[in-house]
mmCIF file of all heavy atoms in Angstrom:
data_model
loop_
_atom_site.group_PDB
_atom_site.id
_atom_site.type_symbol
_atom_site.label_atom_id
_atom_site.label_comp_id
_atom_site.label_asym_id
_atom_site.label_seq_id
_atom_site.Cartn_x
_atom_site.Cartn_y
_atom_site.Cartn_z
ATOM 1 N N MET A 169 -126.468 13.390 -68.645
ATOM 2 C CA MET A 169 -125.590 12.442 -69.348
ATOM 3 C C MET A 169 -124.325 13.151 -69.806
ATOM 4 O O MET A 169 -123.222 12.765 -69.479
ATOM 5 C CB MET A 169 -126.350 11.860 -70.556
ATOM 6 C CG MET A 169 -125.742 10.589 -71.075
ATOM 7 S SD MET A 169 -126.038 9.193 -69.954
ATOM 8 C CE MET A 169 -126.065 7.857 -71.106
ATOM 9 N N THR A 170 -124.523 14.232 -70.527
ATOM 10 C CA THR A 170 -123.352 14.956 -71.026
ATOM 11 C C THR A 170 -122.559 15.568 -69.869
ATOM 12 O O THR A 170 -121.337 15.546 -69.864
ATOM 13 C CB THR A 170 -123.800 16.076 -71.997
ATOM 14 O OG1 THR A 170 -124.661 15.503 -72.973
ATOM 15 C CG2 THR A 170 -122.599 16.692 -72.665
ATOM 16 N N THR A 171 -123.283 16.063 -68.881
ATOM 17 C CA THR A 171 -122.616 16.684 -67.734
ATOM 18 C C THR A 171 -121.763 15.664 -66.985
ATOM 19 O O THR A 171 -120.648 15.948 -66.573
ATOM 20 C CB THR A 171 -123.671 17.282 -66.788
ATOM 21 O OG1 THR A 171 -124.545 18.115 -67.541
ATOM 22 C CG2 THR A 171 -123.003 18.086 -65.688
ATOM 23 N N THR A 172 -122.299 14.461 -66.838
ATOM 24 C CA THR A 172 -121.573 13.407 -66.136
ATOM 25 C C THR A 172 -120.271 13.072 -66.855
ATOM 26 O O THR A 172 -119.213 12.938 -66.242
ATOM 27 C CB THR A 172 -122.445 12.142 -66.029
ATOM 28 O OG1 THR A 172 -123.688 12.480 -65.436
ATOM 29 C CG2 THR A 172 -121.745 11.093 -65.188
ATOM 30 N N THR A 173 -120.362 12.978 -68.196
ATOM 31 C CA THR A 173 -119.169 12.638 -68.980
ATOM 32 C C THR A 173 -118.114 13.735 -68.848
ATOM 33 O O THR A 173 -116.934 13.461 -68.641
ATOM 34 C CB THR A 173 -119.546 12.464 -70.464
ATOM 35 O OG1 THR A 173 -120.629 11.548 -70.556
ATOM 36 C CG2 THR A 173 -118.354 11.947 -71.252
ATOM 37 N N MET A 174 -118.585 14.988 -68.918
ATOM 38 C CA MET A 174 -117.630 16.100 -68.834
ATOM 39 C C MET A 174 -116.983 16.164 -67.451
ATOM 40 O O MET A 174 -115.798 16.430 -67.322
ATOM 41 C CB MET A 174 -118.348 17.417 -69.139
ATOM 42 C CG MET A 174 -118.653 17.593 -70.625
ATOM 43 S SD MET A 174 -119.589 19.087 -70.937
ATOM 44 C CE MET A 174 -118.369 20.330 -70.538
ATOM 45 N N THR A 175 -117.788 15.897 -66.429
ATOM 46 C CA THR A 175 -117.256 15.926 -65.065
ATOM 47 C C THR A 175 -116.199 14.851 -64.866
ATOM 48 O O THR A 175 -115.163 15.085 -64.266
ATOM 49 C CB THR A 175 -118.399 15.728 -64.049
ATOM 50 O OG1 THR A 175 -119.415 16.677 -64.295
ATOM 51 C CG2 THR A 175 -117.887 15.887 -62.633
ATOM 52 N N THR A 176 -116.473 13.669 -65.427
ATOM 53 C CA THR A 176 -115.522 12.575 -65.291
ATOM 54 C C THR A 176 -114.202 12.918 -65.980
ATOM 55 O O THR A 176 -113.123 12.721 -65.436
ATOM 56 C CB THR A 176 -116.112 11.284 -65.903
ATOM 57 O OG1 THR A 176 -117.364 11.025 -65.295
ATOM 58 C CG2 THR A 176 -115.171 10.114 -65.655
ATOM 59 N N ALA A 177 -114.308 13.498 -67.189
ATOM 60 C CA ALA A 177 -113.098 13.840 -67.933
ATOM 61 C C ALA A 177 -112.323 14.928 -67.199
ATOM 62 O O ALA A 177 -111.097 14.892 -67.134
ATOM 63 C CB ALA A 177 -113.476 14.310 -69.333
ATOM 64 N N LYS A 178 -113.046 15.879 -66.623
ATOM 65 C CA LYS A 178 -112.385 16.971 -65.922
ATOM 66 C C LYS A 178 -111.665 16.461 -64.679
ATOM 67 O O LYS A 178 -110.566 16.878 -64.353
ATOM 68 C CB LYS A 178 -113.425 18.032 -65.534
ATOM 69 C CG LYS A 178 -112.816 19.330 -65.053
ATOM 70 C CD LYS A 178 -113.912 20.347 -64.721
ATOM 71 C CE LYS A 178 -113.304 21.648 -64.226
ATOM 72 N NZ LYS A 178 -114.337 22.592 -63.789
ATOM 73 N N THR A 179 -112.310 15.510 -64.007
ATOM 74 C CA THR A 179 -111.687 14.939 -62.805
ATOM 75 C C THR A 179 -110.412 14.184 -63.167
ATOM 76 O O THR A 179 -109.399 14.304 -62.498
ATOM 77 C CB THR A 179 -112.667 13.989 -62.095
ATOM 78 O OG1 THR A 179 -113.879 14.680 -61.860
ATOM 79 C CG2 THR A 179 -112.093 13.504 -60.779
ATOM 80 N N ASP A 180 -110.452 13.434 -64.275
ATOM 81 C CA ASP A 180 -109.281 12.664 -64.668
ATOM 82 C C ASP A 180 -108.120 13.586 -65.014
ATOM 83 O O ASP A 180 -106.992 13.376 -64.579
ATOM 84 C CB ASP A 180 -109.633 11.799 -65.898
ATOM 85 C CG ASP A 180 -110.459 10.587 -65.470
ATOM 86 O OD1 ASP A 180 -110.511 10.324 -64.263
ATOM 87 O OD2 ASP A 180 -111.038 9.933 -66.340
ATOM 88 N N SER A 181 -108.379 14.641 -65.796
ATOM 89 C CA SER A 181 -107.297 15.527 -66.211
ATOM 90 C C SER A 181 -106.803 16.375 -65.049
ATOM 91 O O SER A 181 -105.704 16.902 -65.092
ATOM 92 C CB SER A 181 -107.767 16.434 -67.353
ATOM 93 O OG SER A 181 -108.830 17.257 -66.883
ATOM 94 N N GLY A 182 -107.619 16.498 -63.996
ATOM 95 C CA GLY A 182 -107.175 17.290 -62.858
ATOM 96 C C GLY A 182 -106.353 16.486 -61.876
ATOM 97 O O GLY A 182 -105.474 17.023 -61.213
ATOM 98 N N VAL A 183 -106.613 15.199 -61.788
ATOM 99 C CA VAL A 183 -105.908 14.353 -60.815
ATOM 100 C C VAL A 183 -104.558 13.911 -61.339
ATOM 101 O O VAL A 183 -103.580 13.870 -60.599
ATOM 102 C CB VAL A 183 -106.773 13.119 -60.466
ATOM 103 C CG1 VAL A 183 -105.954 12.098 -59.688
ATOM 104 C CG2 VAL A 183 -107.995 13.551 -59.669
ATOM 105 N N MET A 184 -104.466 13.632 -62.634
ATOM 106 C CA MET A 184 -103.227 13.078 -63.184
ATOM 107 C C MET A 184 -102.016 13.991 -63.004
ATOM 108 O O MET A 184 -100.956 13.524 -62.598
ATOM 109 C CB MET A 184 -103.430 12.727 -64.671
ATOM 110 C CG MET A 184 -104.215 11.446 -64.870
ATOM 111 S SD MET A 184 -103.614 10.054 -63.884
ATOM 112 C CE MET A 184 -102.125 9.681 -64.819
ATOM 113 N N PRO A 185 -102.101 15.294 -63.312
ATOM 114 C CA PRO A 185 -100.937 16.159 -63.098
ATOM 115 C C PRO A 185 -100.512 16.207 -61.639
ATOM 116 O O PRO A 185 -99.308 16.241 -61.344
ATOM 117 C CB PRO A 185 -101.421 17.538 -63.569
ATOM 118 C CG PRO A 185 -102.532 17.244 -64.498
ATOM 119 C CD PRO A 185 -103.196 16.025 -63.973
ATOM 120 N N ILE A 186 -101.496 16.199 -60.739
ATOM 121 C CA ILE A 186 -101.164 16.221 -59.306
ATOM 122 C C ILE A 186 -100.453 14.933 -58.923
ATOM 123 O O ILE A 186 -99.449 14.946 -58.218
ATOM 124 C CB ILE A 186 -102.446 16.412 -58.473
ATOM 125 C CG1 ILE A 186 -103.062 17.777 -58.763
ATOM 126 C CG2 ILE A 186 -102.157 16.244 -56.994
ATOM 127 C CD1 ILE A 186 -104.431 17.972 -58.146
ATOM 128 N N LEU A 187 -100.975 13.814 -59.424
ATOM 129 C CA LEU A 187 -100.359 12.516 -59.133
ATOM 130 C C LEU A 187 -98.945 12.475 -59.710
ATOM 131 O O LEU A 187 -98.006 12.009 -59.059
ATOM 132 C CB LEU A 187 -101.215 11.405 -59.753
ATOM 133 C CG LEU A 187 -101.101 10.021 -59.100
ATOM 134 C CD1 LEU A 187 -101.689 10.047 -57.699
ATOM 135 C CD2 LEU A 187 -101.818 8.993 -59.940
ATOM 136 N N PHE A 188 -98.792 12.993 -60.926
ATOM 137 C CA PHE A 188 -97.479 13.002 -61.580
ATOM 138 C C PHE A 188 -96.496 13.864 -60.796
ATOM 139 O O PHE A 188 -95.350 13.476 -60.562
ATOM 140 C CB PHE A 188 -97.627 13.531 -63.010
ATOM 141 C CG PHE A 188 -96.332 13.599 -63.753
ATOM 142 C CD1 PHE A 188 -95.726 12.436 -64.228
ATOM 143 C CD2 PHE A 188 -95.719 14.810 -63.984
ATOM 144 C CE1 PHE A 188 -94.527 12.503 -64.912
ATOM 145 C CE2 PHE A 188 -94.524 14.884 -64.673
ATOM 146 C CZ PHE A 188 -93.929 13.722 -65.145
ATOM 147 N N ALA A 189 -96.943 15.039 -60.372
ATOM 148 C CA ALA A 189 -96.079 15.939 -59.610
ATOM 149 C C ALA A 189 -95.700 15.323 -58.274
ATOM 150 O O ALA A 189 -94.565 15.460 -57.809
ATOM 151 C CB ALA A 189 -96.787 17.269 -59.403
ATOM 152 N N LEU A 190 -96.659 14.625 -57.668
ATOM 153 C CA LEU A 190 -96.398 13.984 -56.366
ATOM 154 C C LEU A 190 -95.341 12.900 -56.510
ATOM 155 O O LEU A 190 -94.375 12.842 -55.733
ATOM 156 C CB LEU A 190 -97.706 13.396 -55.827
ATOM 157 C CG LEU A 190 -97.704 13.010 -54.348
ATOM 158 C CD1 LEU A 190 -97.720 14.268 -53.486
ATOM 159 C CD2 LEU A 190 -98.909 12.151 -54.032
ATOM 160 N N VAL A 191 -95.509 12.046 -57.531
ATOM 161 C CA VAL A 191 -94.543 10.961 -57.757
ATOM 162 C C VAL A 191 -93.175 11.546 -58.100
ATOM 163 O O VAL A 191 -92.142 11.091 -57.599
ATOM 164 C CB VAL A 191 -95.038 10.035 -58.888
ATOM 165 C CG1 VAL A 191 -93.942 9.056 -59.298
ATOM 166 C CG2 VAL A 191 -96.279 9.268 -58.436
ATOM 167 N N LEU A 192 -93.172 12.579 -58.937
ATOM 168 C CA LEU A 192 -91.904 13.202 -59.332
ATOM 169 C C LEU A 192 -91.209 13.827 -58.123
ATOM 170 O O LEU A 192 -90.008 13.669 -57.927
ATOM 171 C CB LEU A 192 -92.173 14.275 -60.390
ATOM 172 C CG LEU A 192 -90.941 14.804 -61.124
ATOM 173 C CD1 LEU A 192 -90.374 13.746 -62.070
ATOM 174 C CD2 LEU A 192 -91.280 16.072 -61.883
ATOM 175 N N GLY A 193 -91.977 14.517 -57.289
ATOM 176 C CA GLY A 193 -91.401 15.177 -56.121
ATOM 177 C C GLY A 193 -90.852 14.182 -55.122
ATOM 178 O O GLY A 193 -89.729 14.330 -54.643
ATOM 179 N N VAL A 194 -91.634 13.148 -54.837
ATOM 180 C CA VAL A 194 -91.181 12.131 -53.882
ATOM 181 C C VAL A 194 -89.962 11.407 -54.441
ATOM 182 O O VAL A 194 -88.997 11.135 -53.711
ATOM 183 C CB VAL A 194 -92.327 11.136 -53.580
ATOM 184 C CG1 VAL A 194 -91.794 9.949 -52.776
ATOM 185 C CG2 VAL A 194 -93.436 11.828 -52.809
ATOM 186 N N GLY A 195 -89.985 11.128 -55.733
ATOM 187 C CA GLY A 195 -88.848 10.453 -56.357
ATOM 188 C C GLY A 195 -87.597 11.306 -56.315
ATOM 189 O O GLY A 195 -86.495 10.818 -56.069
ATOM 190 N N LEU A 196 -87.767 12.599 -56.541
ATOM 191 C CA LEU A 196 -86.626 13.523 -56.527
ATOM 192 C C LEU A 196 -86.027 13.615 -55.127
ATOM 193 O O LEU A 196 -84.804 13.566 -54.947
ATOM 194 C CB LEU A 196 -87.094 14.902 -56.987
ATOM 195 C CG LEU A 196 -86.036 15.787 -57.667
ATOM 196 C CD1 LEU A 196 -85.579 15.162 -58.973
ATOM 197 C CD2 LEU A 196 -86.603 17.167 -57.910
ATOM 198 N N ILE A 197 -86.907 13.740 -54.140
ATOM 199 C CA ILE A 197 -86.436 13.838 -52.756
ATOM 200 C C ILE A 197 -85.751 12.538 -52.341
ATOM 201 O O ILE A 197 -84.701 12.553 -51.692
ATOM 202 C CB ILE A 197 -87.630 14.152 -51.818
ATOM 203 C CG1 ILE A 197 -88.108 15.579 -52.062
ATOM 204 C CG2 ILE A 197 -87.225 13.960 -50.355
ATOM 205 C CD1 ILE A 197 -89.428 15.902 -51.382
ATOM 206 N N THR A 198 -86.344 11.402 -52.736
ATOM 207 C CA THR A 198 -85.746 10.110 -52.404
ATOM 208 C C THR A 198 -84.388 9.958 -53.088
ATOM 209 O O THR A 198 -83.421 9.514 -52.477
ATOM 210 C CB THR A 198 -86.683 8.973 -52.843
ATOM 211 O OG1 THR A 198 -87.959 9.156 -52.243
ATOM 212 C CG2 THR A 198 -86.116 7.625 -52.420
ATOM 213 N N ALA A 199 -84.304 10.350 -54.360
ATOM 214 C CA ALA A 199 -83.049 10.205 -55.108
ATOM 215 C C ALA A 199 -81.958 11.079 -54.508
ATOM 216 O O ALA A 199 -80.838 10.623 -54.293
ATOM 217 C CB ALA A 199 -83.279 10.569 -56.576
ATOM 218 N N THR A 200 -82.277 12.323 -54.220
ATOM 219 C CA THR A 200 -81.267 13.223 -53.665
ATOM 220 C C THR A 200 -80.932 12.845 -52.229
ATOM 221 O O THR A 200 -79.837 13.119 -51.749
ATOM 222 C CB THR A 200 -81.758 14.677 -53.709
ATOM 223 O OG1 THR A 200 -83.049 14.753 -53.116
ATOM 224 C CG2 THR A 200 -81.803 15.189 -55.125
ATOM 225 N N GLY A 201 -81.868 12.218 -51.536
ATOM 226 C CA GLY A 201 -81.601 11.820 -50.166
ATOM 227 C C GLY A 201 -80.798 10.540 -50.088
ATOM 228 O O GLY A 201 -79.946 10.391 -49.216
ATOM 229 N N MET A 202 -81.059 9.616 -51.022
ATOM 230 C CA MET A 202 -80.376 8.330 -50.979
ATOM 231 C C MET A 202 -79.001 8.412 -51.643
ATOM 232 O O MET A 202 -78.051 7.794 -51.183
ATOM 233 C CB MET A 202 -81.218 7.261 -51.696
ATOM 234 C CG MET A 202 -82.561 7.029 -51.046
ATOM 235 S SD MET A 202 -82.438 6.292 -49.408
ATOM 236 C CE MET A 202 -82.636 4.557 -49.824
ATOM 237 N N LEU A 203 -78.903 9.157 -52.736
ATOM 238 C CA LEU A 203 -77.627 9.253 -53.444
ATOM 239 C C LEU A 203 -76.595 9.974 -52.585
ATOM 240 O O LEU A 203 -76.916 10.891 -51.849
ATOM 241 C CB LEU A 203 -77.815 10.033 -54.760
ATOM 242 C CG LEU A 203 -78.393 9.252 -55.937
ATOM 243 C CD1 LEU A 203 -78.550 10.183 -57.133
ATOM 244 C CD2 LEU A 203 -77.480 8.097 -56.321
ATOM 245 N N GLN A 204 -75.376 9.560 -52.723
ATOM 246 C CA GLN A 204 -74.309 10.221 -51.986
ATOM 247 C C GLN A 204 -73.891 11.485 -52.740
ATOM 248 O O GLN A 204 -74.006 11.573 -53.953
ATOM 249 C CB GLN A 204 -73.116 9.282 -51.836
ATOM 250 C CG GLN A 204 -73.434 8.102 -50.930
ATOM 251 C CD GLN A 204 -72.255 7.157 -50.788
ATOM 252 O OE1 GLN A 204 -71.288 7.290 -51.530
ATOM 253 N NE2 GLN A 204 -72.350 6.237 -49.858
ATOM 254 N N ALA A 205 -73.391 12.448 -52.007
ATOM 255 C CA ALA A 205 -73.021 13.722 -52.615
ATOM 256 C C ALA A 205 -71.922 13.534 -53.650
ATOM 257 O O ALA A 205 -71.869 14.259 -54.645
ATOM 258 C CB ALA A 205 -72.570 14.691 -51.535
ATOM 259 N N SER A 206 -71.050 12.560 -53.437
ATOM 260 C CA SER A 206 -69.954 12.334 -54.373
ATOM 261 C C SER A 206 -70.472 11.863 -55.724
ATOM 262 O O SER A 206 -69.905 12.189 -56.762
ATOM 263 C CB SER A 206 -68.977 11.314 -53.799
ATOM 264 O OG SER A 206 -69.630 10.080 -53.587
ATOM 265 N N VAL A 207 -71.566 11.096 -55.695
ATOM 266 C CA VAL A 207 -72.144 10.606 -56.944
ATOM 267 C C VAL A 207 -72.685 11.783 -57.750
ATOM 268 O O VAL A 207 -72.462 11.884 -58.955
ATOM 269 C CB VAL A 207 -73.264 9.589 -56.660
ATOM 270 C CG1 VAL A 207 -73.949 9.179 -57.953
ATOM 271 C CG2 VAL A 207 -72.691 8.368 -55.946
ATOM 272 N N LEU A 208 -73.402 12.681 -57.069
ATOM 273 C CA LEU A 208 -73.933 13.868 -57.743
ATOM 274 C C LEU A 208 -72.790 14.739 -58.251
ATOM 275 O O LEU A 208 -72.842 15.273 -59.350
ATOM 276 C CB LEU A 208 -74.817 14.660 -56.775
ATOM 277 C CG LEU A 208 -76.136 13.998 -56.390
ATOM 278 C CD1 LEU A 208 -76.821 14.798 -55.296
ATOM 279 C CD2 LEU A 208 -77.049 13.874 -57.595
ATOM 280 N N HIS A 209 -71.728 14.859 -57.453
ATOM 281 C CA HIS A 209 -70.586 15.681 -57.841
ATOM 282 C C HIS A 209 -69.892 15.096 -59.075
ATOM 283 O O HIS A 209 -69.539 15.827 -59.992
ATOM 284 C CB HIS A 209 -69.597 15.781 -56.680
ATOM 285 C CG HIS A 209 -68.344 16.510 -57.040
ATOM 286 N ND1 HIS A 209 -68.239 17.881 -56.991
ATOM 287 C CD2 HIS A 209 -67.147 16.064 -57.498
ATOM 288 C CE1 HIS A 209 -67.021 18.233 -57.386
ATOM 289 N NE2 HIS A 209 -66.333 17.150 -57.699
ATOM 290 N N ASP A 210 -69.711 13.781 -59.079
ATOM 291 C CA ASP A 210 -69.055 13.137 -60.209
ATOM 292 C C ASP A 210 -69.878 13.290 -61.480
ATOM 293 O O ASP A 210 -69.320 13.512 -62.564
ATOM 294 C CB ASP A 210 -68.846 11.647 -59.897
ATOM 295 C CG ASP A 210 -67.739 11.447 -58.876
ATOM 296 O OD1 ASP A 210 -67.007 12.416 -58.595
ATOM 297 O OD2 ASP A 210 -67.622 10.322 -58.352
ATOM 298 N N ALA A 211 -71.192 13.182 -61.355
ATOM 299 C CA ALA A 211 -72.057 13.327 -62.518
ATOM 300 C C ALA A 211 -71.957 14.740 -63.083
ATOM 301 O O ALA A 211 -71.815 14.929 -64.295
ATOM 302 C CB ALA A 211 -73.499 13.017 -62.127
ATOM 303 N N ALA A 212 -71.983 15.727 -62.208
ATOM 304 C CA ALA A 212 -71.858 17.112 -62.655
ATOM 305 C C ALA A 212 -70.472 17.354 -63.232
ATOM 306 O O ALA A 212 -70.305 18.074 -64.221
ATOM 307 C CB ALA A 212 -72.114 18.060 -61.484
ATOM 308 N N HIS A 213 -69.465 16.727 -62.645
ATOM 309 C CA HIS A 213 -68.088 16.870 -63.105
ATOM 310 C C HIS A 213 -67.928 16.299 -64.510
ATOM 311 O O HIS A 213 -67.271 16.892 -65.370
ATOM 312 C CB HIS A 213 -67.162 16.153 -62.118
ATOM 313 C CG HIS A 213 -65.732 16.576 -62.219
ATOM 314 N ND1 HIS A 213 -64.765 16.155 -61.365
ATOM 315 C CD2 HIS A 213 -65.103 17.404 -63.083
ATOM 316 C CE1 HIS A 213 -63.606 16.683 -61.699
ATOM 317 N NE2 HIS A 213 -63.782 17.454 -62.744
ATOM 318 N N ASP A 214 -68.524 15.129 -64.731
ATOM 319 C CA ASP A 214 -68.440 14.493 -66.040
ATOM 320 C C ASP A 214 -69.107 15.363 -67.103
ATOM 321 O O ASP A 214 -68.586 15.512 -68.204
ATOM 322 C CB ASP A 214 -69.106 13.119 -65.997
ATOM 323 C CG ASP A 214 -68.260 12.106 -65.230
ATOM 324 O OD1 ASP A 214 -67.086 12.419 -64.947
ATOM 325 O OD2 ASP A 214 -68.774 11.033 -64.900
ATOM 326 N N VAL A 215 -70.236 15.935 -66.770
ATOM 327 C CA VAL A 215 -70.935 16.802 -67.719
ATOM 328 C C VAL A 215 -70.070 18.016 -68.025
ATOM 329 O O VAL A 215 -69.972 18.460 -69.162
ATOM 330 C CB VAL A 215 -72.306 17.247 -67.147
ATOM 331 C CG1 VAL A 215 -72.926 18.333 -68.016
ATOM 332 C CG2 VAL A 215 -73.231 16.041 -67.034
ATOM 333 N N ARG A 216 -69.416 18.541 -67.012
ATOM 334 C CA ARG A 216 -68.547 19.711 -67.190
ATOM 335 C C ARG A 216 -67.415 19.383 -68.160
ATOM 336 O O ARG A 216 -67.087 20.172 -69.035
ATOM 337 C CB ARG A 216 -67.984 20.125 -65.823
ATOM 338 C CG ARG A 216 -67.821 21.628 -65.676
ATOM 339 C CD ARG A 216 -67.297 21.981 -64.308
ATOM 340 N NE ARG A 216 -68.166 21.487 -63.252
ATOM 341 C CZ ARG A 216 -67.777 21.289 -61.998
ATOM 342 N NH1 ARG A 216 -66.530 21.532 -61.639
ATOM 343 N NH2 ARG A 216 -68.612 20.849 -61.117
ATOM 344 N N HIS A 217 -66.798 18.214 -68.010
ATOM 345 C CA HIS A 217 -65.703 17.825 -68.889
ATOM 346 C C HIS A 217 -66.221 17.530 -70.288
ATOM 347 O O HIS A 217 -65.561 17.858 -71.280
ATOM 348 C CB HIS A 217 -64.992 16.589 -68.328
ATOM 349 C CG HIS A 217 -63.956 16.938 -67.308
ATOM 350 N ND1 HIS A 217 -62.616 17.035 -67.604
ATOM 351 C CD2 HIS A 217 -64.076 17.244 -65.997
ATOM 352 C CE1 HIS A 217 -61.960 17.370 -66.499
ATOM 353 N NE2 HIS A 217 -62.817 17.498 -65.506
ATOM 354 N N ALA A 218 -67.385 16.897 -70.380
ATOM 355 C CA ALA A 218 -67.932 16.521 -71.681
ATOM 356 C C ALA A 218 -68.271 17.758 -72.499
ATOM 357 O O ALA A 218 -68.157 17.752 -73.727
ATOM 358 C CB ALA A 218 -69.192 15.673 -71.480
ATOM 359 N N THR A 219 -68.666 18.827 -71.829
ATOM 360 C CA THR A 219 -69.024 20.046 -72.565
ATOM 361 C C THR A 219 -67.816 20.943 -72.785
ATOM 362 O O THR A 219 -67.937 21.997 -73.399
ATOM 363 C CB THR A 219 -70.100 20.834 -71.795
ATOM 364 O OG1 THR A 219 -69.660 21.054 -70.443
ATOM 365 C CG2 THR A 219 -71.417 20.073 -71.781
ATOM 366 N N GLY A 220 -66.627 20.525 -72.273
ATOM 367 C CA GLY A 220 -65.414 21.296 -72.501
ATOM 368 C C GLY A 220 -65.281 22.486 -71.582
ATOM 369 O O GLY A 220 -64.479 23.392 -71.843
ATOM 370 N N PHE A 221 -66.057 22.512 -70.504
ATOM 371 C CA PHE A 221 -65.970 23.629 -69.565
ATOM 372 C C PHE A 221 -64.741 23.434 -68.683
ATOM 373 O O PHE A 221 -64.568 22.386 -68.080
ATOM 374 C CB PHE A 221 -67.238 23.664 -68.695
ATOM 375 C CG PHE A 221 -67.386 24.926 -67.897
ATOM 376 C CD1 PHE A 221 -67.914 26.066 -68.466
ATOM 377 C CD2 PHE A 221 -66.993 24.969 -66.559
ATOM 378 C CE1 PHE A 221 -68.049 27.231 -67.736
ATOM 379 C CE2 PHE A 221 -67.126 26.137 -65.817
ATOM 380 C CZ PHE A 221 -67.652 27.256 -66.410
ATOM 381 N N PRO A 222 -63.814 24.408 -68.609
ATOM 382 C CA PRO A 222 -62.611 24.264 -67.791
ATOM 383 C C PRO A 222 -62.933 24.244 -66.311
ATOM 384 O O PRO A 222 -63.646 25.120 -65.828
ATOM 385 C CB PRO A 222 -61.765 25.486 -68.162
ATOM 386 C CG PRO A 222 -62.737 26.495 -68.620
ATOM 387 C CD PRO A 222 -63.882 25.735 -69.250
ATOM 388 N N CYS A 223 -62.423 23.254 -65.586
ATOM 389 C CA CYS A 223 -62.727 23.196 -64.162
ATOM 390 C C CYS A 223 -61.476 22.946 -63.335
ATOM 391 O O CYS A 223 -61.424 23.326 -62.192
ATOM 392 C CB CYS A 223 -63.796 22.161 -63.863
ATOM 393 S SG CYS A 223 -63.234 20.458 -63.954
ATOM 394 N N HIS A 224 -60.451 22.296 -63.892
ATOM 395 C CA HIS A 224 -59.227 22.092 -63.101
ATOM 396 C C HIS A 224 -58.049 21.783 -63.982
ATOM 397 O O HIS A 224 -58.174 21.777 -65.202
ATOM 398 C CB HIS A 224 -59.407 20.997 -62.046
ATOM 399 C CG HIS A 224 -59.711 19.655 -62.612
ATOM 400 N ND1 HIS A 224 -58.800 18.690 -62.894
ATOM 401 C CD2 HIS A 224 -60.917 19.115 -62.974
ATOM 402 C CE1 HIS A 224 -59.392 17.627 -63.374
ATOM 403 N NE2 HIS A 224 -60.671 17.853 -63.454
HETATM 404 ZN ZN1 LIG B 71 -62.642 18.250 -63.869
#
């Protein structure tokens, strides 16, 4: 009884991080693949200006 409960809890905590990493990785690859390079550049550019970093 106790062993079954512990096994179930261990399985749940072991699968969730993998599932989370998988979703995060696929989402990241999809986002970087679908987004245009100019969009990423503009976002980085805006952050650079907002932080006062000289760029041009
Ligand atoms: Zn700039």
